[in-house]
Amino acid sequence: MTYLEVSSVGKSFTRGSTTSEVLRDINLNIEKGEFVSIIGHSGCGKSTLLNLIAGLTETSAGGIILENAEVTAPGPDRAVVFQNHSLLPWLSVYDNVNLAVAKVFARSKSKAERHDWIMENLQLVQMAHAKDKRPGEISGGMKQRVGIARALAMEPKILLLDEPFGALDALTRAHLQDQMTEIHSRLGNTVIMITHDVDEAVLLSDRIVMMTNGPAATIGEILEVPLERPRNRLELASDRSYLKCREAVLKFLYERHRFVEAA
Amino acid sequence: MTLPAQADSKVTALPFKAPAATVTVLPRPARRFNMATVAGRIATVLVPPLVVLAVILTVWQVVFSQPGSSLPPPSEVWAQSYDLIVDPFFVYGSQDIGLGLRVLTSLQRVAIGFGLAAVLGIAIGAVIGQSKWMMRGLDPIFQILRTVPPLAWLPISLAAFMDSGPSAIFVIFITAIWPVIINTTVGVRNIPQDYRNVARVLQLNHLEFFFQIMLPAAAPYIFSGLRISIGLSWLAIVAAEMLTGGVGIGFFIWDAWNSSRLTDIIVALIYIGVVGFILDRLVALVGSFVTRGTSAN
Ligand SMILES: Nc1ncnc2c1ncn2[C@@H]1O[C@H](COP(=O)(O)OP(=O)(O)O)[C@@H](O)[C@H]1O
Ligand SMILES: [Mg+2]
């Protein structure tokens, strides 16, 4: 049974008299509990596709169906972790998560239950210790973790991550990738993650969606990642099928769809 | 190299941000509260203005001490307006009260006019800032109205209210509201798209968006507008009271002029300056308290 269905989706932006087609004929079906990565060169339209699924922008063609309901507007059932964490700087870590929890569970949870739920999600990303800090007082990796906690706390049907670890240094990134894998295996969320990091895509995903270059980008190929879970990054480093997946993605990106810099 | 304060918020795309950002939470080196350093600090703040003041008073005293000079020297101000200087709150009769009490009367009007301007200005600015077309249509009009001098509103105001009390308040209101509207509009237009997206994903309604996202995000802009406004309000009330009468500080100056009490006018000017300064600092202080953290991203 298909959980999320993206069918024949296209997107054009019109500015003044010029129309630019960013995405064309995107077809993608995602099962419940799947972890799917979208990889492609910068500017090909990955964020645009994620925003379409989130309902933040409208499709120009085609449609998106999530659990038998068409996506027409944004909502907390499609939680987004934006490229640059987007925490509200005037709220503490706790209040940033509370902003979401108070809104989503206004009726279904009591005040005490909401508090427990906020703390549970902060603990999930190991940020409970910093609950009273402001975003300005914590590191980039910590901010991203709080952003993930805020998204998870909405109990979304699908979690949309836009290059969640892109701005972090390699060590912090590896640490957060492991945390993300663990959260996914524990909660079984359906996740779509945009990335430009090949190892990250192979390590975390069940499938990797590879996009062609824009304009009018589309899905070039979808790669199944046949690796057992739980995955261990050290053991995988020399694993045959890991290396094969990695090579396939690299070949797609750097041989068949080389990034041509606009003159 | 010239942007140390912004560096932290602009480098999100670079690696190794983590150590840089955590530096801010390290405990500061313990500051020893040593009487000598505190006294030293107070001295560096107070001594220069006091010295300058002394020089000004001396020059003033010397220049205007010749017989036949048109203005009184400081010594004469002290001698003739002694009551006004030493006791701001005396009450000798219904029209013969201390300058502190007069200032309070004026401040009451300012509080009402400025308060109304702040509330309405923020509300109007929020609505306009949300709409590109309203902004395009209204902004030029506001920019023109903003430059109308406070007193130019008074005749219309008197005609409309037929009473000097509400007219004076209206003049303050109409003078103070434009900077609030304009700055709020700019603040709202500058709310990062990310914050708006967060609000949309959470499906915040208009009221929730206003209080939870818009107000805090635009607060630095709003407060710089409020700070301009409080200055204009104080400017407007003194001018308006000169014409409308009553017991405010503005009318006092006019009255003193009509009865040739020049020294009283000088004392009143000092009062007005000091109160204006305090008002400005007060709004700035509230602003920096409320917006702390807003821009620390
Ligand atoms: N709101 C918009 N208006 C016009 N063009 C846009 C808009 N959003 C994105 N684009 C264009 O769409 C293309 C894809 O952008 P984006 O989805 O952000 O790429 P990616 O996330 O893959 O780096 C870019 O060329 C960008 O200029
Ligand atoms: Mg992007």
Side-chain angles (χ1 to χ4, degrees), chain A residues 9-14 19-26 43-49 52 60 211-219:
Chain A
V9 162
K11 178 68 193 174
S12 307
F13 288 106
T14 307
T19 299
S20 56
E21 188 178 16
V22 175
L23 295 174
R24 177 188 291 172
D25 198 30
I26 302 272
C44 73
K46 304 182 295 292
S47 296
T48 306
L49 177 56
L52 291 172
S60 310
M211 294 190 52
T212 63
N213 287 335
T218 189
I219 294 176

Side-chain angles (χ1 to χ4, degrees), chain A residues 55-57 74-76 78-80 82 84-90 99-100 103-104 133-140 143 150 154 167-169 172, chain B residues 8 12-19 21-22 24-25 194-198 200-205 208 212-214 216-217 292-297:
Chain A
L56 289 166
T57 41
R78 280 151 290 133
V80 191
F82 296 97
N84 37 359
H85 73 78
S86 67
L87 298 179
L88 304 177
W90 56 86
L99 180 77
K103 180 68 188 174
V104 176
K133 293 229 162 80
R134 300 267 183 118
E137 300 172 324
I138 58 179
S139 70
K143 281 182 220 171
R150 181 174 65 186
M154 298 177 204
L168 306 175
D169 63 276
T172 312
Chain B
D8 190 49
T12 36
L14 297 174
F16 300 114
K17 182 166 186 283
T22 37
T24 47
V25 289
D194 269 1
Y195 300 172
R196 293 180 182 278
N197 284 344
V198 169
R200 289 177 65 200
V201 167
L202 288 174
Q203 296 177 334
L204 298 187
N205 61 37
E208 288 166 332
Q212 301 191 19
I213 309 280
M214 200 189 272
R292 101 207 99 101
T294 314
S295 45
N297 195 355

